[in-house]
Every structure is written in structure tokens, then in C-alpha cells.
Amino acid sequence: MSQSLGTAGTTTGPVPELALTGDLGHPARLTVPDLLAWRQHEADVSFECATSGVRHHRFTGPLLHDVLLGAGPRFDPARRKDRLRFLIAVSGADGHHALLSWAEIDPDFGRARVLLAVTIDDTPLDRAGPQLVLPQDRCGARHVSGITAVRVDGGYTLRE
């Protein structure tokens, strides 16, 4: 898990933006205030940290699926279940990265309620940037603080 959980609201300087890029019809740059316009969800999360034991946090923010769907992923309607080949790469300001599949967050498949958190424990993240929160992950290793980029990629091919 990223180390910056405890410094959620202390970042100074320009307002952090996350870039939505890749195979999207409407790539965008979003801030925490932009994400507040989406329907907000809450998640009480317990992360089992190897160094500090169990940590409990409450996060709020829109679902990653909803925000990405709004950016218009370029699914091919002629290909059956085309969305299942899409990957989502998330990068944070501290160099932390996480990879998810579209099927994991899609309500028709994995239904993971992955958040782009805009608050942690009622503290706004507008100066630190949004956080990727996967409430179902036990150890929080895919938690990314200060998200700088979310890339949607459906263009890879498998080679044998």
C-alpha cells in the first residue's frame, strides 16, 4: 500500500489532476472537485499491513467503473464481450502502480466496487489527489494514493 495515507490533506501546490487516457472516446483530466460531481459511494475498509497491523479507514468517492464508462471506452460492438479484453493501469504520484481488468469492475462480471476516493476518514483529498481503493483487497497492495493517471487499454494482443 502507498505510504501517503496519513498525509491525505497536507499536500500544497497546484491542484492534482488525474489523466484518463488510452482507448477512450473522451479522454480527460480530472481533479477531486470534478470527481465530486459523480454519485458518491462509501466504503469501510480494513487493510492488513505487514508493518503496522490492521488499519481501518472510511473512503468516499465515485466508482471507477462509472467514471471510466463516462469517458467512453472504445469497445467494439461487433465483437462479443469485447470489454473483457480491456485492462486498466493506475499510477500514483509516488510511483505506485496497480493493474485491473475491465471484467473485474464491470457489474455484469466481477462487480468489484472500486473507488476513486475523494475523502479518507472524512478528510478531503483535493490537495493530495484521489486514491484508488479496492475494498475487497485484504492487504491493500493495489491501493494507490495521489492518482496521476488511469489508462484503459484494449489494444494488446496475445501471442503464442
Side-chain angles (χ1 to χ4, degrees):
M1 179 165 52
S2 178
Q3 297 291 56
S4 55
L5 272 179
T7 59
T10 61
T11 304
T12 59
V15 175
E17 292 183 325
L18 74 87
L20 295 180
T21 65
D23 295 325
L24 299 170
H26 311 289
R29 298 189 73 76
L30 301 173
T31 63
V32 166
D34 295 328
L35 293 171
L36 285 167
W38 293 88
R39 180 174 172 220
Q40 301 295 296
H41 299 263
E42 291 185 350
D44 290 314
V45 180
S46 296
F47 295 126
E48 289 184 32
C49 302
T51 57
S52 59
V54 178
R55 300 178 125 189
H56 304 280
H57 295 287
R58 168 169 265 169
F59 295 95
T60 60
L63 295 176
L64 174 64
H65 178 265
D66 293 348
V67 173
L68 292 180
L69 205 57
R74 290 188 171 150
F75 303 138
D76 182 348
R79 293 179 68 175
R80 188 172 177 266
K81 300 180 198 168
D82 186 54
R83 61 194 166 169
L84 298 182
R85 69 184 173 90
F86 281 69
L87 297 175
I88 304 160
V90 181
S91 300
D94 62 358
H96 194 75
H97 304 282
L99 186 64
L100 299 93
S101 70
W102 187 274
E104 188 174 357
I105 66 169
D106 192 302
D108 289 337
F109 299 98
R111 269 185 245 201
R113 297 177 53 81
V114 178
L115 296 182
L116 291 174
V118 296
T119 70
I120 178 174
D121 302 326
D122 297 322
T123 301
L125 293 168
D126 40 348
R127 300 305 288 169
Q131 298 184 7
L132 181 72
V133 178
L134 290 92
Q136 69 280 6
D137 283 7
R138 181 182 56 83
C139 70
R142 292 190 292 172
H143 181 102
V144 177
S145 296
I147 300 171
T148 57
V150 176
R151 179 169 178 75
V152 176
D153 186 356
Y156 67 91
T157 57
L158 297 175
R159 297 182 193 159
E160 294 185 31

